[in-house]
């Protein structure tokens, strides 16, 4: 995941959010979700197709591959962990946590992600034990 740029991660996450069941998505929906032009989506989808993350025919819909789904789910997992930490542990407002988690999800290492998950799980067990 570290070699995938933040922009590519955002596209993968948007595709996953637009199609939680894996159905094909139109580029216009991706453009609207990310606030970019359809031309920008087209260029990025060509990169994602070349890298094996999406299936896309020229002027057709877009669908995440198995590898694309895994990468998108990884980004979403990092985002959820960070939001949970920011809101539940640091008591950051939900609005701020949503914005900050989107920025931070691109920067944390796999090690930090694992430690954050372990911390949150331990904290949850501690809370349940009270």
């Amino acid at each position: 995941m570290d070699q995938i740029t933040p922009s590519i991660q955002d596209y993968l996450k948007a595709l996953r959010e637009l199609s939680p069941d894996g159905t094909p998505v139109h580029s216009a929906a991706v453009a609207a979700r990310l606030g970019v032009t359809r031309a920008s989506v087209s260029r990025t989808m060509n990169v994602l197709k070349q890298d094996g993350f999406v299936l896309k025919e020229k002027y057709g819909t877009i669908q995440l591959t198995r590898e694309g789904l895994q990468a998108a789910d990884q980004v979403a997992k990092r985002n959820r962990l960070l939001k949970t930490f920011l809101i539940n542990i640091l008591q950051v407002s939900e609005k701020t946590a949503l914005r900050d988690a989107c920025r931070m999800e691109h920067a944390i290492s796999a090690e930090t992600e694992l430690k954050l998950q372990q911390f949150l799980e331990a904290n949850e067990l501690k809370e349940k034990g009270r």
Side-chain angles (χ1 to χ4, degrees):
M1 183 63 66
D2 294 334
Q3 72 277 13
I4 301 173
T5 67
S7 175
I8 294 294
Q9 290 177 23
D10 287 341
Y11 276 89
L12 291 168
K13 189 169 77 168
L15 285 165
R16 186 65 163 143
E17 290 169 352
L18 288 166
S19 178
D21 61 353
T23 57
V25 177
H26 291 278
S27 61
V30 178
R33 171 62 63 106
L34 294 173
V36 299
T37 65
R38 289 195 327 200
S40 177
V41 172
S42 180
R43 282 190 303 274
T44 303
M45 290 307 115
N46 288 333
V47 171
L48 288 172
K49 182 178 178 180
Q50 182 179 353
D51 290 346
F53 290 115
V54 299
L55 301 172
K56 181 187 182 311
E57 296 301 319
K58 191 170 187 170
Y59 305 114
T61 55
I62 306 155
Q63 191 170 15
L64 289 166
T65 62
R66 181 180 308 244
E67 187 176 320
L69 285 168
Q70 290 172 342
D73 288 346
Q74 186 64 35
V75 175
K77 178 184 173 194
R78 286 180 174 188
N79 183 278
R80 281 191 309 277
L81 285 170
L82 289 161
K83 281 190 299 193
T84 300
F85 179 76
L86 293 169
I87 293 169
N88 296 348
I89 305 301
L90 299 183
Q91 307 281 305
V92 173
S93 73
E94 186 171 347
K95 181 180 176 183
T96 300
L98 291 172
R99 186 181 63 241
D100 289 350
C102 284
R103 292 179 185 146
M104 296 166 67
E105 71 193 18
H106 305 298
I108 67 170
S109 66
E111 178 185 5
T112 300
E113 177 185 355
L114 177 62
K115 295 295 184 179
L116 183 58
Q117 182 174 346
Q118 290 171 342
F119 174 83
L120 290 171
E121 288 170 355
N123 191 63
E124 185 178 316
L125 288 173
K126 189 167 53 171
E127 289 295 319
K128 284 182 181 179
R130 285 185 180 185

